[in-house]
Amino acid sequence: MTARLLLDLGNRRLKSARGQAGRCIDVQAHALPGAGAGAAEWAAVESWLAAQHAALGDPVFVSSTRPRALERLRAGCLAGAELRVAGADGWPFEVATTGTGSDRILAARAGWRRAGSTRAVLVADLGSAWTLDVMDGAGTFRGGAIGAGLAAQAAGLLAAAPHLPPAPANARSGVPATTEEALAMGRFGALAAALDGLAARFETALGATGATGAARLVTGGDASCMQSWLGPAWEPAPDLVLEGLARLATGAP
């Protein structure tokens, strides 16, 4: 089966993979320039992407959370490419929401497949924003929650209270005894508590509690630094958006 180029265009990174037989392989990532960046800042990204497109050809399957960045690539290194943007023509499964980003839907669907396609799944995607999304046991995307990611939280607090020190990446268990540990608990610990609390609430709404509780997966750029705070109930699942794209690209939703 011919391999397809898969692109996950996020807020901070562009990830690519080869999609083949419903799987994503050879995952790579490139940092994206910030808003307002010019041609020079985008040159390395476009050169990298053009080489991949030349190797795999059309069609290119894309999930995008940055519409302006997608338009820039469409007008530049992907000019003339056959782009298939996830969700543009609807979904081959039930989506019970409106206006939801394709990354959230694809990640939840891929998580549901990982969980065996019969069990409800909760997918926490931790990046510029964090999301916690729900796919019920029948494979319907039900929606979820969105909040400020770790970097956005830190930037917001720094702007509001610039006299505070930076938060360390770890803190001791129990009640924090220093300002630095308190900041870490308020950043990492609070996000973990929010995800656990919302997960329990969503499971209750689904009627998926106790031994029949939903599977819990965590993905995204900040997943690794949050894993120890979340604990073993949350299974690491890198590249879920690309996994979802791979299935979409081969007609295996």
Side-chain angles (χ1 to χ4, degrees):
M1 180 178 291
T2 303
R4 300 301 189 192
L5 177 58
L6 313 176
L7 301 176
D8 174 11
L9 179 57
N11 291 303
R12 295 181 293 184
R13 296 185 302 170
L14 174 61
K15 296 175 69 176
S16 72
R18 289 186 294 125
Q20 195 163 17
R23 298 172 56 247
C24 65
I25 54 179
D26 191 23
V27 176
Q28 302 180 47
H30 203 297
L32 289 174
E41 291 87 350
W42 279 92
V45 177
E46 296 210 61
S47 176
W48 171 74
L49 182 53
Q52 294 190 70
H53 181 226
L56 294 177
D58 290 331
V60 179
F61 290 82
V62 185
S63 170
S64 172
T65 61
R66 285 183 64 176
R68 290 185 180 179
L70 178 59
E71 289 309 309
R72 183 184 190 96
L73 296 175
R74 192 195 295 267
C77 64
L78 294 179
E82 180 188 348
L83 297 186
R84 299 187 184 176
V85 180
D89 298 317
W91 298 97
F93 47 83
E94 188 71 23
V95 174
T97 63
T98 57
T100 305
S102 60
D103 57 331
R104 294 172 58 195
I105 295 172
L106 288 168
R109 185 70 175 187
W112 180 73
R113 287 295 186 188
R114 278 196 177 212
S117 303
T118 58
R119 184 183 179 191
V121 67
L122 306 174
V123 173
D125 192 340
L126 311 181
S128 298
W130 63 260
T131 59
L132 180 63
D133 289 308
V134 180
M135 186 74 76
D136 67 22
T140 297
F141 181 82
R142 298 282 294 273
I146 305 174
L150 293 175
Q153 291 180 39
L157 186 58
L158 178 63
H163 59 282
L164 290 174
N170 291 291
R172 66 179 186 176
S173 59
V175 180
T178 67
T179 298
E180 289 80 5
E181 289 179 337
L183 286 165
M185 186 64 73
R187 186 179 175 196
F188 298 94
L191 178 53
L195 293 172
D196 282 335
L198 283 171
R201 181 171 295 192
F202 291 161
E203 285 182 325
T204 298
L206 291 170
T209 58
T212 59
R216 298 184 183 187
L217 305 180
V218 59
T219 192
D222 287 336
S224 58
C225 66
M226 280 297 300
Q227 188 64 58
S228 63
W229 293 86
L230 288 169
W234 295 87
E235 177 189 345
D239 309 318
L240 280 182
V241 176
L242 289 171
E243 282 188 27
L245 268 180
R247 296 192 65 86
L248 207 61
T250 54

